[in-house]
């Protein structure tokens, strides 16, 4: 993309800028830390906590742990591909081809229902943390792929508008 595209309100690739500003390293560390914490929880305290749940809560626990594990593995794949590109192990084109093979699962539109409030507090916290991280990565991925374009910036500099949106998406 060139500067002309930015002035027309079209998407500008932000991947190099995010990589250069350390945003990716923060996202990578946050994602990998969450993956490790959730794995340890589900294999340890979570397993113990889930033994005392009602039948409804046990079903919700099993469902949410599978969803969370699936999303986190998708995130790990995405993060590791980006890291490989950053470290020169594979090209951007190779990474895009690999990412096309893995589709992000959709987040449930609502949480709750019978048994949700009985889930261990730590499990609910991990589900919420995983959802927020997943939403940030999906947002970044859409911008990177050019699937999410800027609306008409109404005279505003489109690059700054997109930077503001990325800051909001990444908690900056």
């Amino acid at each position: 993309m060139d500067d002309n595209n930015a002035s027309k309100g079209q998407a500008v690739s932000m991947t190099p800028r995010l990589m250069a500003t350390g945003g990716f390293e923060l996202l990578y560390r946050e994602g990998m830390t969450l993956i490790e914490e959730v794995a340890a929880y589900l294999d340890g305290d979570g397993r113990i906590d889930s033994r005392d749940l009602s039948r409804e809560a046990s079903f919700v626990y099993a469902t949410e742990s599978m969803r969370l594990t699936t999303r986190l593995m998708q995130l790990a794949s995405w993060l590791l591909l980006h890291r490989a590109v950053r470290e020169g192990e594979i090209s951007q084109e190779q990474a895009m081809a690999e990412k096309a093979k893995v589709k992000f699962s959709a987040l449930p539109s609502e949480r709750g229902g019978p048994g949700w409030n009985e889930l261990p507090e730590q499990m609910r916290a991990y589900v919420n943390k995983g959802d927020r991280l997943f939403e940030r990565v999906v947002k970044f991925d859409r911008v990177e792929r050019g699937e999410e374009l800027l609306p008409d910036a109404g005279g505003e500099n489109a690059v700054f508008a997109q930077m503001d949106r990325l800051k909001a998406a990444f908690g900056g």
Side-chain angles (χ1 to χ4, degrees):
M1 301 269 163
D2 59 22
D3 290 336
N4 253 354
N5 288 333
S7 66
K8 294 176 186 173
Q10 295 177 346
V12 175
S13 176
M14 300 306 288
T15 303
R17 287 180 185 92
L18 184 67
M19 296 288 192
T21 62
F24 175 75
E25 278 304 314
L26 179 67
L27 185 63
Y28 181 85
R29 278 193 312 272
E30 184 179 345
M32 294 312 233
T33 298
L34 182 61
I35 290 165
E36 289 174 15
E37 288 177 5
V38 168
Y41 173 77
L42 291 175
D43 198 37
D45 291 342
R47 187 172 293 193
I48 294 165
D49 293 344
S50 68
R51 291 180 187 153
D52 297 329
L53 297 175
S54 70
R55 185 177 183 148
E56 286 176 332
S58 290
F59 178 75
V60 173
Y61 182 92
T63 301
E64 290 300 332
S65 64
M66 286 190 312
R67 284 180 179 162
L68 181 58
T69 302
T70 299
R71 282 192 306 276
L72 290 178
M73 290 303 99
Q74 291 168 339
L75 290 174
S77 175
W78 189 91
L79 290 167
L80 290 169
L81 281 170
H82 274 357
R83 186 165 189 107
V85 169
R86 183 178 177 155
E87 294 185 2
E89 296 171 4
I90 63 173
S91 70
Q92 181 69 33
E93 293 76 26
Q94 289 171 310
M96 293 301 276
E98 289 299 315
K99 285 195 315 185
K101 295 176 186 176
V102 177
K103 299 291 182 202
F104 286 135
S105 58
L107 288 175
S109 58
E110 292 183 23
R111 297 277 186 208
W116 173 260
N117 291 329
E118 292 179 56
L119 291 181
E121 186 176 328
Q122 188 62 55
M123 178 62 171
R124 288 190 311 241
Y126 281 136
V127 168
N128 291 328
K129 212 180 218 187
D131 286 356
R132 286 191 309 273
L133 182 63
F134 190 78
E135 286 171 350
R136 287 171 41 209
V137 169
V138 167
K139 175 89 169 159
F140 178 71
D141 191 65
R142 285 182 183 149
V143 170
E144 179 184 48
R145 292 175 189 260
E147 294 172 3
E148 198 159 303
L149 300 177
L150 286 174
D152 182 11
E156 217 180 296
N157 182 321
V159 173
F160 288 126
Q162 188 164 5
M163 293 286 280
D164 288 342
R165 291 178 70 204
L166 283 172
K167 285 178 187 173
F170 288 95

